[in-house]
Amino acid sequence: MFSDPAPRLYALPPGAAFAVRLADGLIARTAGQPPEALARATLFLNTARMRERVRQALLSRGARLLPRLRLVTDLGAEPLPGLLPAVPPLRRRLDLAAMIGRLIAADPGFAAAGTRIALAESLGTLLDEMQGEGVAPERIAGLDVADHSAHWARTRDFMALVAPFFAGDGAPDVQARQRRAVLAQVARWQAAPPADPVIVAGSTGSRAATLLMMTAVARLPQGALVLPGFDRDLPPEVWAAMAAAEGGEDHPQFRYRRLFDALGSGPEAVRDWDDRPAPDPARGRLISLALRPAPVTDRWLAEGPALGDMGAATARMTLVEAPSPGAEAVAVALVLRRAADEGRRVALITPDRDLTRRVTALLDRWGIVPDDSAGQPLLLSPPGRFLRHVAGLFGERLSAEALVTLLKHPLAASGPARGAHLRLARRLELRLREQGPAWPDAAFLRNWAGSQDAGWAGWLAGLVEGCRVNGMLPLPELAHRHRTLAETLAAGPGAAGAGALWEAEAGDKARQALDRLAAAAEPQDAVTATDFAALLDGVLADGEVRATVEPHPDVLIWGTLEARAQDADLVVLGGLNDGIWPPAPAPDPWLNRRMRMAAGLLLPERQVGLSAHDFQQAVAAPEVILTRAVRDDQAGTVPSRWLNRLTGLLAGLTDTGGAAALAAMRVRGQDWLDLARRLDRPEVTVPPAPRPSPRPPAPSRPVTLAVTEVATLLNDPYAVYARRVLALRPVAPFRGDPDARDRGIIIHRILQAFAEEHISGEDRPAALARLTAATDRVLAEDAPWPAARLLWRAQVLRAADQLLDLTARLGGVPVLVEREGRENVGATGVALRGRPDRIDRRPDGRLWLFDYKSGKAPERGKKAEVDNQLLLLSAMADLGAFGDFGPEPVAGASYVGLSGSPVHAPVASEALAHVRADLEALVARMADPATGYTAWRSGVSGTQHRDYMHLSRFGEWRTAQPARPEDVE
């Protein structure tokens, strides 16, 4: 196949359809030879997708015997004499976690106990890298770390943990076995060089083991390398500048510089694989100059004008700068949809999985299912989420929200009893939202659900009891409990099997993930519930789920690595923002950049350089659209450094039309954004809703009114209409974390219990002791939040002195505590109802009302609607609306808060008469069928949350807009 001398280096330019041209070159080199000539060749390819593309390309050229198509990683997975199978990565992580746990137990200040799984994961990643790059622990131990003594002492302790894994007598890790397999294969090639062709194609040699293999193959009698995206426009001085590792790691061609050094050759030794030019040579030269390493970007001034007309070089380039990620996704989806309509092969290349998910969802509106190379992460699939929810139940007190989330999952009770299960689950949700408890236990669930369905109650209570995990358990036992609980929950009450949990590809992949976890677990692996959840997340994160529907053959979504295999007519490069493309370097808790370089490990710039190489290949496609979002959900974004360089270079090439070309790229991009904006624009303009003021008939209007509703009736009558006429109630939130409402309820219960247990003639210490006892009792029964209990107890006891002082000074005796009363409002036919917190009768026979506040009491002259509430209660008491006692005069009313001094409300007889008159007028007016329940009638300032704002379609109207009364049924 090859007649030129070794080492043989061939290359294809950026933007070339690598798989197709590789196949064509193989066929051309075996033309005229027997059919088995091609079959004797062995091709090592970089990815499974590349292997499949090469296979398809060869088959599309006619029937023939195919070469052996293998992956560069196949050597490490094959059985080899004298080389044990690799230890599964999860097993190695568990070994490291156990070692780290012993280290933390010996020195608790070393690290938090709950971090051992995370530390084992990062340490395992470092171990893989050290083994793959051939860096022994001794080399790291010998580094000069005088400036990092404190951090280094800790890192050195961890290095002692991984040292045993470098011994050659045990089973190796995956990377160690790959390296040993490559060395063994190289030794066999050197001892008996194969006469048949051996080709490594599509790899850049970014890992040390792959580089060893490539250098050996290049020197074989019929060996060759076919390099993807080789830049022939780089001048010799740039190649020379990249010789220093610290200076050019982030350049897209740096990997080839290392390959040349390993072979003792240079870029001049690279031959063309075929005689076809690059898809767009002018654009290739532009991109090559834009991506020059930073120290030589001053060459833009010297070499930029020689690039020629920039309009021709960028004629098939478009730049979309969307205002938001959502707008970017819509524009990309429209590009893909139009290309599919035109019968063109189009590919979206991006590392941004959020963007790909948005685009996939948008394409669904047209019935287009893209061929996504990454698929859906198993972690985010329905079975993956379900298994993670179940794992989250272990080790923590079961919250109402977590329970309902699990019960309403599509896979919960996914057998024939699904309908009945959902009906009961929704009833339970409403019960938990309205009344709690915040953390339901098996006894509560058995009692409540037993009245609904005994079988469902027992099933549910058994699930809750199965969630109890205390301390550390053997991993096999916890894994078995997790799987059993998940299958029982998925099957449903009284059903066998696992429901739909293991169905379809996602379910099968999830079951395989649990099988891997169970296979790696050993009895000595003791883990906590938190450790198990982290392990499960890691196992699920390694899986992916492909679409079960046949995807569109010409609409592709690729990761950046697939840019090497691309052969699309149109390429969209999406998510071109820094931190996405290239991704932000992962933090390294072990070695800083200088130490990594001295040890021979990969630098952070290595990943940037690989991303840059993928970008250079993709952007050189025949037609390309570059997209980015100018802002994300938080703030403005920073363009990708490569896009910044490209636009910066074009903007400076004014003499050759660069600035005009850049403007034209943006104009073409704006066309897509304009189309995206028009996509969801209605054909007919829908007028905004008016400010509502419904007028129900008189019989539908409320005949009772709570004192707490009077202020609402003044400020936002529409809320009273929605609640009392339409009978709409907001769904209560789960009581997961205590809020101001919970605090107010608990404080009122404490003071209610204290008042109901009143003892005449009680001295001050006894009263304080009784208040303390009531506080502790109510908090223990009704406040399931340990931290909140301590805080609220301190607040009550801090305010105890002023409460006891006030009641002692008034000298009253409680005659009514938290009891509702009613009083007709004049002749309107409407009854006013209210529930005072406490009413005392003073020695002179007059009444004193108390209103408890969990915060600070309202100041006089402010919050008039609150003052009116206490005045209304005082007016009702003055008329004898409460208790068995008749009308009695009111001496006063006080707000008592947990902070600040008590505030007294004006309850003189004139004030109460005025309040009654105002109330009668208000009720009479609202009882009139001609009066509407206007939304925000009194123009309350601000747009704070209201339960019924969305129903009134607030936002389509403003408070200054006149209301439009409307008669309703």
Side-chain angles (χ1 to χ4, degrees), residues 659-726:
L662 178 60
M665 290 169 56
R666 286 183 166 133
V667 168
R668 292 190 288 270
Q670 188 60 45
D671 290 342
W672 286 110
L673 292 175
D674 292 342
L675 187 61
R677 276 193 292 269
R678 294 198 300 271
L679 179 63
D680 292 321
R681 184 181 301 167
E683 296 182 1
V684 178
T685 302
V686 178
R691 184 180 180 187
S693 183
R695 296 188 298 197
S700 299
R701 301 197 174 211
V703 295
T704 63
L705 188 66
V707 292
T708 56
E709 291 178 318
V710 173
T712 306
L713 196 59
L714 285 168
N715 298 321
D716 189 8
Y718 186 87
V720 176
Y721 165 76
R723 184 176 181 87
R724 299 295 304 281
V725 179
L726 300 183

Side-chain angles (χ1 to χ4, degrees), residues 141-195:
L143 295 176
D144 179 13
V145 292
D147 297 336
H148 309 278
S149 56
H151 175 73
W152 174 243
R154 182 159 297 182
T155 302
R156 187 173 51 213
D157 291 336
F158 279 100
M159 288 299 102
L161 297 181
V162 304
F165 301 125
F166 285 80
D169 51 349
D173 292 296
V174 173
Q175 290 298 328
R177 194 180 195 280
Q178 174 72 15
R179 186 177 182 87
R180 294 178 192 177
V182 168
L183 291 174
Q185 181 62 67
V186 170
R188 289 194 296 270
W189 280 337
Q190 291 174 345

